[in-house]
Amino acid sequence: MISIQLILLIIFGLVAIWFGWRVFMTSSMVRSALSLLGSMVAIGALFLVMEAEFLGVLQIMMMGTEMSIMAVFMMMYMMDPGGLGNMDMSHQKNLSIAAGVAVTVLITGAVLFADWGTIVTQVPSPHEQNRLLGMEILKRSMMIFETAGVTILTGMIASIAVALSIKSSREK
Amino acid sequence: MELLITALIIAAILFGIGLYGALSQTNLVMIMMGIELMLGAAMVNLVAFWRYLHPEAFSIQMFVLVAMTVMALEGAVGFAIATQRFRTSGSVEMEESAELKG
Amino acid sequence: MTPFLNGFIISLLFVGGVYVVAVLERWSMTGNVNWPGPARSFYLLFAQEEIKTRKHDKVFFETAPILFIGVILLTISILPFGRGSVMVDLGTGALFINAALVYVMVSLLMVGWAVNGVYAMVGGWRALAQLIAYSMPVVMVLTATVMRAESMFLTDIVESQQSLWNILYQPVGFMLFYISALAITFLPPFDLPVAEGELAGGVWADLTGARKLLFRLGRLTLVLTLSVAVVVLYLGGWMGPWLPGFVWTFLKTFLVATSFFAIGRYMPRIRHDHLLEYNWKYGVPLALYNIFQVGIVLLL
């Protein structure tokens, strides 16, 4: 059954895979970071096709900010952000290609030969989904949400502490 | 059924590409890009399971939110480590970070 | 009035609105109201020769203006101009505004990098810092308006202001959204990325011709779009006595846009570190306080 959802899934999936492959095949660093952004936007579009509207919009929004920060960090720390030198910076290439292909084949095998049960076709509307997700967060998963909040705070403090320069305190 | 299998195979290929990147790149920022691709593939898997098998269980969407939080956080902490490496040794290549000292 | 006629009139009013905003921008810079000014500038820029810098990044140079304009057009399509006059009534409309503003930032970064010039790159980095910073209060005050409406549909947010407009219900939120809207469209006094005197034109210093026209026109359309967003979220949208809904929306939008440019005329440019300090040290805690206050008032 070729439905519109299947066609859109295949299109956005191929876009995500192509951008993901381009991340590691291009020599310009900024193009690499923005190509990862393209892949993440395609993944967000996949969420929208699979009718998880809030998650799709959230993914697209967050990945925009994150990938542009990554692009700025690439410009700061890499020696050739423009990619005009054409250097291949990778090691143990054969092992990693073998690992990537082996993992893909294993997962595809597990997917094709498992019994998934019946497919449900009725999904709540986006407005109803937002309400139910909010109820879920604040009733059953409240503990997880609060832990995530405290983890974010710890992550912020830890990253600032790691990135602070210790030389200024030594000069005193 | 084809919808579920298509989505899962797309996620599998993305995961494989991410694993290739995380293992083969020498630069910390590129390794982090590989990890983000793997997390993205896991999220596609989760949303496919939510949509096609259990659309009434919203704890799956909560899991996706937690995975997005983890993506943002490991990006932040990874960049902080990259800043510190750059400050002490002048580059973020992981080949030069084989020593425990410095 | 049939929906088609409504939609047609709203589109005409919107294009006229962009022209009025262009006249207002010239007034904020020079002090004269020059009505044929924008038409002449449009024609001159359109007919100008297109100069490309050496070794520019081809992919981003071509993609950035299209992304900029595309994102702004998407934002316009989800905003309600009148009762029932919205192109796409998105279920997560309030979040979509913020998502679109992030891609404005990405396109500015792209164009700053692509032209391979120092002034453009510095302007792009300033735009990145400014736009990331001022997107944070936007998402939090949007959450407060969604809390009152109990739904993310933009039409529901307008409907929830039947009794009392949000500007009186959440004054702190209104101030924060107003200032963030000024900063996101980098209007003076927040116009460091395109600083005329300081950075030789900033982000679009090396652009000429039709590409520069796309950016300047897109920025004016963004100003109008954010004014409509302020009106929808805080000033009651289409509500008002005898005139039809969309006329009220455009009147209120005109007031908001004039106030944007009046502030730009009479205030000096804010320094970069003050800009970021006002946001992170004062803006974000105030936004959290806004959510707290709205929550308490809602529960009473």
Side-chain angles (χ1 to χ4, degrees), chain A residues 74-95:
Chain A
M74 296 227 109
M75 280 189 237
M76 283 205 281
Y77 294 146
M78 312 274 288
M79 12 173 164
D80 189 13
L84 300 173
N86 210 7
M87 221 174 12
D88 181 26
M89 308 274 312
S90 55
H91 66 203
Q92 55 188 37
K93 222 172 170 169
N94 294 332
L95 171 67

Side-chain angles (χ1 to χ4, degrees), chain A residues 28 30-31 34 37 41 53-54 57-61 63-65 68-69 71-72 75 81-82 84 126-127 130, chain C residues 55 57-60 90-92 95-96 98-99 102-103 105-106 109-110 113 125 128 132 150-153:
Chain A
S28 162
V30 176
R31 275 197 200 177
L34 287 173
L37 173 63
V41 167
E53 194 173 311
F54 181 73
V57 176
L58 195 68
Q59 165 87 347
I60 292 179
M61 177 173 91
M63 289 306 131
T65 311
S68 39
I69 293 179
V72 171
M75 280 189 237
L84 300 173
H127 177 68
N130 291 342
Chain C
K55 294 213 173 183
D57 197 334
K58 289 194 183 49
V59 171
F60 294 151
L90 205 59
T92 50
L95 197 60
F96 195 86
N98 206 23
V102 167
Y103 284 90
M105 170 180 81
V106 169
L109 186 70
M110 269 192 206
W113 170 255
W125 290 346
L128 180 76
I132 291 182
E150 295 186 19
S151 122
M152 282 201 212
F153 282 111

Side-chain angles (χ1 to χ4, degrees), chain C residues 66-266:
Chain C
I66 304 175
L67 183 64
F68 195 65
I69 296 277
V71 158
I72 297 174
L73 289 176
L74 274 175
T75 315
I76 295 172
S77 72
I78 59 158
L79 284 172
F81 286 95
R83 176 162 299 140
S85 300
V86 49
M87 271 195 252
V88 180
D89 201 6
L90 205 59
T92 50
L95 197 60
F96 195 86
I97 295 179
N98 206 23
L101 291 176
V102 167
Y103 284 90
V104 166
M105 170 180 81
V106 169
S107 74
L108 282 177
L109 186 70
M110 269 192 206
V111 79
W113 170 255
V115 286
N116 200 13
V118 175
Y119 288 141
M121 199 148 69
V122 173
W125 290 346
R126 284 182 180 178
L128 180 76
Q130 187 173 327
L131 286 169
I132 291 182
Y134 282 93
S135 302
M136 298 300 139
V138 164
V139 74
M140 292 188 220
V141 300
L142 274 175
T143 308
T145 54
V146 166
M147 274 164 69
R148 185 178 181 202
E150 295 186 19
S151 122
M152 282 201 212
F153 282 111
L154 282 171
T155 42
D156 283 350
I157 293 183
V158 177
E159 295 282 343
S160 78
Q161 298 179 52
Q162 283 270 10
S163 50
L164 189 64
W165 284 2
N166 267 339
I167 179 176
L168 296 171
Y169 200 89
Q170 315 174 8
V172 177
F174 173 72
M175 279 318 301
L176 281 172
F177 194 81
Y178 191 84
I179 295 177
S180 302
L182 269 178
I184 287 178
T185 58
F186 38 97
L187 284 174
F190 293 100
D191 67 342
L192 272 171
V194 285
E196 292 292 317
E198 187 189 11
L199 207 51
V203 172
W204 44 69
D206 293 307
L207 295 172
T208 53
R211 209 158 267 135
K212 187 166 193 164
L213 180 68
L214 267 179
F215 270 102
R216 290 187 60 177
L217 204 60
R219 177 193 179 192
L220 292 172
T221 318
L222 186 63
V223 172
L224 192 63
T225 310
L226 276 175
S227 310
V228 175
V230 168
V231 163
V232 159
L233 290 169
Y234 285 100
L235 287 175
W238 61 71
M239 295 186 182
W242 3 273
L243 294 170
F246 60 88
V247 177
W248 272 115
T249 309
F250 277 104
L251 278 175
K252 294 179 200 172
T253 307
F254 175 68
L255 275 175
V256 171
T258 315
S259 68
F260 277 170
F261 286 108
I263 288 185
R265 181 157 172 67
Y266 295 116

